[in-house]
Amino acid sequence: MSLSHAAPAAVSPASSSHAAPAVVSPAVVTVGAGPVSFTDLVAVARLDAPIVLDPAALDGVAATRRIIDGLAVDVNPHYGISTGFGALATTFITSDRRAQLQASLVRSHAAGSGPEVEREVVRALMLLRLSTLMTGRTGVRPVTAETYAAVLNAGITPVVHEYGSLGCSGDLAPLAHCALAVMGEGRVRDASGTPMSGQAALAAAGIEPVVLAEKEGLALINGTDGMLGMLVLALADLTRLLTTADIAAAMSVEALLGTDATFAADLQALRPQLGQAASAGNLRALLHGSPLLASHAGPDDPTVQDAYSLRCSPQVHGAARDTADHAALIAGRELASAVDNPVVTLDGRVASNGNFHGAPVGYVLDFLAIAAADVASMSERRTDRHLDANRNKGLPPFLAHEVGVDSGLMIAQYTAAGIVSELKRLAVPASVDSIASSAMQEDHVSMGWAAARKLRHSIDGLQRVLAIEIMTAARSLDLRAPVRPGAATGAVRDLVRTVAEGPGHDRFLSPEIEAVVALVASGAVMDAAASVAGPLR
């Protein structure tokens, strides 16, 4: 799983590609007829990388538009060009009403409700819609693609709402809110985050609003761009978090006086799962040369077998890695797709299709929510072992400083447990649901947008649960003094100590948890471990 992958052929197995390079914003992202890469999407969505449009691709857009212009004057009806939409597909619209038809489509479909969607999600879906426009398969005019790019480059973010998409025909409502902004309508936030009208934002940026021509309203709203954008962003986060899960597990194995013998390469090779091998390799590297492990190794070690939450970490973390790699494969294919309805084919036909259905993306979004919940569940079980005097091999109950007076990290585990319980509920698939719409014309939908929204909550929860385990394991390592942890785990413990105090009397714990969460989210935990252990996968 690598952020540089753009197409399915580029997706490498977890065993060789799971390293999470820092995403450095390129000087510019060129959008042409081919797919944008994972790296480009993250750079535009999160780092505001500027966009330029490939001139050759714009020529292709213009050539396809000439086909649409020819059909617009045909006396025979053509869906989306001279007809209504959905259940109204058989209604012929005269040429003098078609601009109103396209504008009305966008206005009526901009029917979202609820909280605003995050800025990075809106920018991701807009980049992906622009990418599809530039394939030359949608029939828009070049000026429409150019205006769309200008809105992104100006940092203007349309207000998109949490609810409104059924994931078929794609993410209609979210994309319609973005199309409104290109028309100089609706509500947006400018580059500074100030809310204002679309008209005011475009005027301030010197952008001329688009008056939509035939087919363009459809082209701006028919796509899986919202759910796909959130999938790529989730994969970027999981690249970091699944490596961080290995770091947390290594700290726990060490602090709980476990063994690294079970992670031996020959044992792992007996079950040749790629993700498992990568995870076990990380654990071996992280625990290499640990004085703490060496202090109890040998024939006198009373531990026959570690608990599953320690011993089976590579199996669970590895399964999550393999799931993420499958999701990256699907995402790569979707990035290479031109999703619209109807589309202009390479031989010049304008054909209706069902490619806007979000099932391929929805399924893997749900798979990832399951994986995130299970990795978090195992992490929370390791956290709990640190706090239980019956299982933590000599550490004080709840790692408290003065037992009976102090509660130690008791309630930090409650927090992790509450999050894990929520993640299990979020793991219930959205993609198995469907609800009919458009007078039964759209009688099966993907719910891919809903799957993506809940996955974002799942990833946030996983991040917090791992941070609590790392904070807990760091305290356990401190309490094992004077025996020292390994160099890599010790580096993470030292990093935690820059934002959270070591063992001592009870104190206000929430700020310390949030500070460690920030270290996990920034990649600092992963960097600290890798600075000693070498590149982690």
Side-chain angles (χ1 to χ4, degrees):
M1 180 170 59
S2 168
L3 297 184
S4 63
H5 300 328
V11 179
S12 303
S15 61
S16 61
S17 70
H18 194 82
V23 177
V24 178
S25 178
V28 68
V29 169
T30 299
V31 181
V36 297
S37 69
F38 283 36
T39 299
D40 286 347
L41 184 143
V42 175
V44 170
R46 290 181 169 167
L47 304 176
D48 287 354
I51 294 165
V52 296
L53 302 181
D54 176 51
L58 275 175
D59 290 343
V61 170
T64 303
R65 181 63 203 183
R66 289 192 286 272
I67 296 172
I68 299 298
D69 289 339
L71 295 175
V73 298
D74 191 350
V75 295
N76 295 311
H78 297 276
Y79 176 69
I81 299 170
S82 54
T83 72
F85 313 107
L88 304 178
T90 58
T91 303
F92 183 80
I93 308 297
T94 58
S95 59
D96 60 322
R97 306 299 302 280
R98 291 175 191 165
Q100 180 183 348
L101 170 70
Q102 299 297 322
S104 293
L105 173 72
V106 172
R107 291 167 184 151
S108 66
H109 283 54
S113 182
E116 289 185 39
V117 170
E118 303 87 351
R119 183 176 187 269
E120 67 174 27
V121 171
V122 178
R123 288 184 61 81
L125 74 89
M126 290 186 71
L127 175 67
L128 293 175
R129 183 62 350 205
L130 177 62
S131 179
T132 289
L133 298 181
M134 290 296 290
T135 64
R137 307 274 62 82
T138 70
V140 301
R141 296 167 296 159
V143 67
T144 302
E146 290 168 336
T147 305
Y148 212 93
V151 169
L152 270 168
N153 281 338
I156 297 169
T157 306
V159 172
V160 173
H161 299 278
E162 181 87 27
Y163 305 111
S165 175
L166 300 179
C168 194
S169 305
D171 294 315
L172 290 173
L175 285 165
H177 282 276
C178 297
L180 269 186
V182 177
M183 295 163 54
E185 300 182 20
R187 300 293 299 172
V188 304
R189 291 184 180 273
D190 68 7
S192 69
T194 303
M196 62 182 64
S197 69
Q199 180 183 28
L202 264 60
I207 300 171
E208 187 71 23
V210 168
V211 178
L212 299 179
E214 291 93 344
K215 177 68 173 63
E216 291 191 315
L218 270 179
L220 290 177
I221 67 173
N222 250 313
T224 57
D225 308 297
M227 63 183 90
L228 176 59
M230 285 186 275
L231 173 58
V232 174
L233 292 172
L235 288 169
D237 293 333
L238 283 169
T239 297
R240 167 176 43 83
L241 290 177
L242 293 180
T243 300
T244 303
D246 291 338
I247 296 167
M251 294 176 72
S252 289
V253 168
E254 193 174 28
L256 291 170
L257 305 184
T259 177
D260 61 350
T262 188
F263 308 136
D266 61 340
L267 293 176
Q268 301 299 317
L270 296 175
R271 189 191 203 186
Q273 297 288 357
L274 298 179
Q276 177 180 324
S279 180
N282 283 346
L283 285 162
R284 290 195 301 272
L286 291 161
L287 293 170
H288 179 71
S290 166
L292 196 48
L293 288 187
S295 70
H296 61 89
D300 295 331
D301 188 351
T303 301
V304 178
Q305 292 187 124
D306 286 329
Y308 286 6
S309 61
L310 303 174
R311 190 185 352 151
C312 301
S313 295
Q315 285 74 17
V316 173
H317 298 178
R321 287 165 174 265
D322 291 339
T323 301
D325 278 336
H326 172 64
L329 179 70
I330 299 302
R333 292 170 179 164
E334 198 72 4
L335 287 171
S337 303
V339 176
D340 192 16
N341 183 50
V343 292
V344 183
T345 63
L346 291 173
D347 62 2
R349 294 179 293 113
V350 177
S352 293
N353 65 91
N355 287 338
F356 48 73
H357 198 290
V361 182
Y363 287 0
V364 295
L365 288 162
D366 280 335
F367 297 165
L368 291 177
I370 292 170
D374 202 34
V375 172
S377 179
M378 178 173 262
S379 173
E380 182 275 331
R381 287 294 79 203
R382 291 191 296 262
T383 296
D384 186 63
R385 295 189 74 82
H386 286 275
L387 307 180
D388 185 352
N390 293 316
R391 295 180 291 147
N392 65 18
K393 298 182 181 179
L395 296 172
F398 306 107
L399 308 184
H401 181 71
E402 186 176 349
V403 178
V405 174
D406 293 317
S407 295
L409 298 183
M410 177 193 295
I411 307 303
Q413 183 268 330
Y414 283 32
T415 300
I419 293 171
V420 167
S421 184
E422 175 68 12
L423 297 189
K424 291 175 182 177
R425 292 189 291 272
L426 291 171
V428 176
S431 57
V432 298
D433 190 19
S434 180
I435 191 164
S437 58
S438 193
M440 292 297 287
Q441 177 74 1
E442 299 170 6
D443 58 353
H444 185 278
V445 297
S446 76
M447 303 307 295
W449 173 272
R453 295 306 298 164
K454 69 183 182 67
L455 177 59
R456 287 182 69 80
H457 291 292
S458 297
I459 288 173
D460 178 68
L462 171 59
Q463 189 162 260
R464 294 174 185 280
V465 171
L466 291 174
I468 290 171
E469 181 186 0
I470 288 167
M471 185 179 75
T472 303
R475 182 179 287 203
S476 290
L477 289 173
D478 283 336
L479 292 170
R480 294 295 184 191
V483 184
R484 293 179 293 105
T489 53
V492 176
R493 188 272 315 275
D494 293 345
L495 174 68
V496 171
R497 288 292 158 260
T498 66
V499 298
E501 296 180 29
H505 284 294
D506 285 354
R507 54 188 178 265
F508 185 20
L509 206 53
S510 180
E512 293 190 0
I513 293 173
E514 293 305 304
V516 180
V517 170
L519 293 178
V520 171
S522 69
V525 165
M526 189 173 62
D527 292 344
S531 69
V532 175
L536 298 172
R537 295 182 288 176

